Amino acid sequence: MKVTVVGGGIAGLTCALSLHSAGFEPRVYEAARTIEAVGVGINLLPHAVRELSGLGLERELDSVALPPARLSYRDRAGEVVWEEPLGRAAGYRWPQYSVHRGALQMLLLSAVRERLGPDAVRTGLLFERYEETSGGVRAHFLDRSSGLPVTDDADVLVGADGIDSAVRARLFPHEGPPKGNGVHMWRGVASHPQILDGRSIVVAGGTPGAKFVAYPIEDPATSGGDALVNWVLEVRHEPSAAPAEGPGRRVTAAEARAGLSPWRLPWIDLTAVGRRGTAKLQ
């Protein structure tokens, strides 16, 4: 059975690997002309790691990700409110991982091309519409380089093209775009000395729109050295005053420093984080 997967992100690539392992013939179509290691940090909980391990990716995942040992909730002054273990330390059979999103996507892309063939992922093809046929479904794409139409016939079509999914918009045309609540996340990565024990996910504050999160996504090259730290700052706007640029806009260094300036946390240099890091609005 042939499956057309729209979207070459983490979801689409994982979907393709899972379908292939079950005996299907997936093909992945991605709108971006090239797939690059972009983004910031994400966390893979044990149930997600279980699925990736079942696909034979446990060793590769362990080579690019960091297993956090605890979750530490702090108040706005940085003092402990509650802590609990994570992953295997919490009794799970699989670890939890903190990882750079781009590193994970490249790992998955390499596995798809190795197992399904070098042409299993086609890039630069923008999904436009689909139609049901007597034999299944036909997807229509626009080749962004040539401007020519491209079609693909399959038994099943899977939409894995993100929160602004074009596939979903076709399925549910009256649903409209996602609705926000006025809380935006500034997400970034920065090189920073070890935070606490170097294996903690720290959540300070807690009120939506007044929260700071930080966790490492790599080991320092030397003991006590710098390592990449993922950070998230929640900022509240009135829903009607949502930034016109939408998600994905790069936050300037000046904006990041201004947003971080009210926080005083003794275990992280937020001035350095705002100066060294790159951030995006989500």
Side-chain angles (χ1 to χ4, degrees):
M1 180 179 288
K2 296 181 179 180
V3 182
T4 297
V5 179
V6 179
I10 291 170
L13 295 172
T14 304
C15 177
L17 289 170
S18 296
L19 288 168
H20 177 260
S21 70
F24 295 91
E25 299 176 42
R27 296 182 294 269
V28 179
Y29 289 82
E30 168 57 41
R33 291 184 173 88
T34 59
I35 298 178
E36 300 175 341
V38 297
V40 289
I42 60 173
N43 265 275
L44 299 176
L45 300 184
H47 60 275
V49 176
R50 173 186 179 180
E51 297 303 314
L52 294 174
S53 297
L55 292 171
L57 298 172
E58 186 170 14
R59 181 178 300 176
E60 291 87 347
L61 184 58
D62 190 66
S63 70
V64 300
L66 186 74
R70 64 172 175 163
L71 175 62
S72 181
Y73 286 102
R74 306 281 175 127
D75 61 22
R76 288 184 63 90
E79 298 298 322
V80 175
V81 175
W82 174 262
E83 293 186 329
E84 59 187 65
L86 296 174
R88 287 198 170 108
Y92 291 99
R93 291 173 57 189
W94 297 270
Q96 179 168 329
Y97 280 119
S98 300
V99 62
H100 192 287
R101 181 202 171 280
L104 175 61
Q105 188 177 11
M106 292 301 102
L107 183 158
L108 295 169
L109 178 62
S110 176
V112 169
R113 286 175 169 165
E114 179 181 346
R115 299 177 190 184
L116 281 67
D119 299 324
V121 179
R122 299 187 63 185
T123 59
L125 294 171
L126 180 68
F127 173 83
E128 294 189 314
R129 60 188 174 89
Y130 74 91
E131 60 193 34
E132 294 187 32
T133 65
S134 59
V137 62
R138 175 172 295 158
H140 294 258
F141 300 89
L142 175 68
D143 188 316
R144 296 181 62 198
S145 296
S146 67
L148 297 175
V150 175
T151 60
D152 181 56
D153 291 304
D155 299 287
V156 178
L157 173 70
V158 175
D161 49 337
I163 190 170
D164 295 313
S165 171
V167 175
R168 184 177 181 85
R170 288 282 175 175
L171 286 168
F172 305 98
H174 303 298
E175 189 176 64
K179 295 181 180 179
N181 63 356
V183 175
H184 295 88
M185 293 190 297
W186 293 2
R187 308 183 71 230
V189 293
S191 181
H192 191 279
Q194 177 174 301
I195 297 174
L196 301 177
D197 60 358
R199 286 292 188 278
S200 291
I201 298 174
V202 187
V203 180
T207 304
K211 183 190 298 183
F212 178 82
V213 180
Y215 54 86
I217 55 176
E218 70 174 3
D219 270 326
T222 59
S223 178
D226 288 1
L228 278 183
V229 171
N230 184 83
W231 62 271
V232 182
L233 177 67
E234 288 192 359
V235 179
R236 177 175 289 281
H237 302 276
E238 290 299 321
S240 61
E245 303 92 335
R249 177 180 68 84
R250 184 172 295 277
V251 176
T252 67
E255 284 180 286
R257 289 195 297 271
L260 294 168
S261 63
W263 290 82
R264 296 290 184 271
L265 303 173
W267 30 263
I268 186 170
D269 184 346
L270 293 177
T271 300
V273 165
R275 184 176 65 250
R276 300 176 185 176
T278 58
K280 286 191 175 182
L281 175 97
Q282 288 192 334

